[in-house]
Amino acid sequence: QVQLVESGGGLVQAGDSLRLSCAASGRPFTTDTVGWFRRAPGKGREFVATITWTGSTTYADSGKGRFTISRDNTKNTVYLQMNSLKPEDTAVYYCARRGLGNADYHYWGQGTQVTVSS
Protein backbone atom coordinates (compact mmCIF):
# COMPACT_ATOMS: atom_id res chain seq x y z
CA GLN A 1 0.00 0.00 0.00
CA VAL A 2 1.44 3.32 -1.08
CA GLN A 3 1.31 5.95 1.64
CA LEU A 4 2.56 9.47 2.12
CA VAL A 5 2.91 10.97 5.57
CA GLU A 6 3.58 14.64 6.13
CA SER A 7 5.10 16.06 9.28
CA GLY A 8 6.77 19.20 10.56
CA GLY A 9 3.86 21.59 10.67
CA GLY A 10 3.09 23.77 13.63
CA LEU A 11 2.33 27.20 14.99
CA VAL A 12 5.02 29.80 14.35
CA GLN A 13 5.36 33.55 14.21
CA ALA A 14 5.78 35.61 11.07
CA GLY A 15 9.38 35.50 9.93
CA ASP A 16 10.05 32.06 11.39
CA SER A 17 10.99 28.94 9.49
CA LEU A 18 9.62 25.42 9.26
CA ARG A 19 10.73 22.30 7.46
CA LEU A 20 8.03 19.95 6.31
CA SER A 21 8.74 16.32 5.53
CA CYS A 22 6.91 13.92 3.27
CA ALA A 23 7.80 10.29 3.89
CA ALA A 24 6.81 7.56 1.47
CA SER A 25 6.07 3.97 2.30
CA GLY A 26 4.94 1.04 0.23
CA ARG A 27 6.86 2.13 -2.83
CA PRO A 28 9.97 4.31 -3.02
CA PHE A 29 9.80 7.66 -4.79
CA THR A 30 12.42 6.53 -7.32
CA THR A 31 11.38 8.26 -10.56
CA ASP A 32 8.22 9.95 -9.22
CA THR A 33 7.66 13.67 -9.24
CA VAL A 34 6.65 14.88 -5.80
CA GLY A 35 4.72 18.02 -5.15
CA TRP A 36 3.68 20.15 -2.23
CA PHE A 37 0.27 21.79 -2.21
CA ARG A 38 -1.68 23.73 0.35
CA ARG A 39 -5.22 24.64 1.22
CA ALA A 40 -5.92 27.76 3.22
CA PRO A 41 -9.17 28.19 5.16
CA GLY A 42 -11.99 28.97 2.76
CA LYS A 43 -9.80 28.60 -0.32
CA GLY A 44 -9.07 25.98 -2.92
CA ARG A 45 -5.99 23.84 -3.17
CA GLU A 46 -2.93 25.72 -4.29
CA PHE A 47 0.28 24.50 -5.85
CA VAL A 48 3.40 25.24 -3.81
CA ALA A 49 6.38 23.40 -5.33
CA THR A 50 7.43 20.27 -7.19
CA ILE A 51 10.59 18.29 -7.61
CA THR A 52 11.28 15.69 -10.28
CA TRP A 53 13.34 12.57 -9.87
CA THR A 54 16.27 14.37 -11.49
CA GLY A 55 16.04 17.18 -8.96
CA SER A 56 14.44 19.78 -11.20
CA THR A 57 12.25 22.12 -9.16
CA THR A 58 9.37 24.50 -9.76
CA TYR A 59 7.79 26.96 -7.36
CA ALA A 60 4.68 29.02 -7.11
CA ASP A 61 5.37 32.73 -7.16
CA SER A 62 4.16 32.98 -3.57
CA GLY A 63 7.06 30.86 -2.35
CA LYS A 64 9.90 31.81 -4.66
CA GLY A 65 12.93 32.93 -2.72
CA ARG A 66 11.45 31.68 0.55
CA PHE A 67 10.66 27.99 0.00
CA THR A 68 13.02 25.22 -1.03
CA ILE A 69 11.94 21.73 -2.02
CA SER A 70 14.42 18.88 -1.85
CA ARG A 71 14.43 15.10 -1.81
CA ASP A 72 16.46 12.31 -0.29
CA ASN A 73 15.70 9.14 -2.21
CA THR A 74 17.75 7.08 0.23
CA LYS A 75 15.24 8.03 2.92
CA ASN A 76 12.21 8.13 0.62
CA THR A 77 11.54 11.61 1.90
CA VAL A 78 10.86 14.96 0.30
CA TYR A 79 11.27 18.18 2.24
CA LEU A 80 9.88 21.67 2.02
CA GLN A 81 12.00 24.25 3.78
CA MET A 82 9.94 27.36 4.41
CA ASN A 83 11.66 30.54 5.52
CA SER A 84 10.37 34.04 6.26
CA LEU A 85 6.89 32.68 6.83
CA LYS A 86 3.94 35.03 6.48
CA PRO A 87 0.43 34.82 7.93
CA GLU A 88 -0.85 34.17 4.41
CA ASP A 89 1.17 30.93 4.38
CA THR A 90 -1.27 29.55 6.94
CA ALA A 91 -2.76 26.41 5.44
CA VAL A 92 -2.84 22.64 5.51
CA TYR A 93 0.12 21.44 3.47
CA TYR A 94 -0.11 18.24 1.47
CA CYS A 95 2.42 16.25 -0.46
CA ALA A 96 1.55 14.15 -3.48
CA ARG A 97 3.32 11.97 -5.99
CA ARG A 98 2.90 11.10 -9.64
CA GLY A 99 4.71 8.54 -11.70
CA LEU A 100 7.08 9.31 -14.52
CA GLY A 101 5.07 10.38 -17.54
CA ASN A 102 1.84 10.78 -15.58
CA ALA A 103 0.08 14.12 -15.48
CA ASP A 104 -2.03 13.42 -12.41
CA TYR A 105 -1.04 13.04 -8.79
CA HIS A 106 -2.52 9.72 -7.70
CA TYR A 107 -1.29 9.53 -4.13
CA TRP A 108 -1.79 12.15 -1.46
CA GLY A 109 -0.91 12.49 2.18
CA GLN A 110 -3.26 13.55 4.93
CA GLY A 111 -1.68 16.95 5.36
CA THR A 112 0.06 18.89 8.09
CA GLN A 113 -1.19 22.17 9.52
CA VAL A 114 0.98 25.27 9.31
CA THR A 115 -0.21 28.32 11.19
CA VAL A 116 1.69 31.58 11.04
CA SER A 117 0.73 34.27 13.51
CA SER A 118 1.37 37.95 12.90
Side-chain angles (χ1 to χ4, degrees), residues 25-62:
S25 63
R27 192 182 79 195
F29 281 131
T30 318
T31 56
D32 286 2
T33 290
V34 180
W36 282 98
F37 300 81
R38 67 187 184 185
R39 188 187 298 273
K43 295 187 178 180
R45 190 172 63 203
E46 176 187 25
F47 161 74
V48 176
T50 61
I51 186 167
T52 69
W53 69 285
T54 60
S56 178
T57 59
T58 58
Y59 296 93
D61 288 344
S62 59

Side-chain angles (χ1 to χ4, degrees), residues 1 4 16 22 26 37 45 51 65 77 82-83 88 90 95 108 111:
Q1 183 179 2
L4 298 175
D16 286 349
C22 171
F37 300 81
R45 190 172 63 203
I51 186 167
T77 301
M82 303 188 295
N83 298 328
E88 50 263 44
T90 295
C95 65
W108 292 80

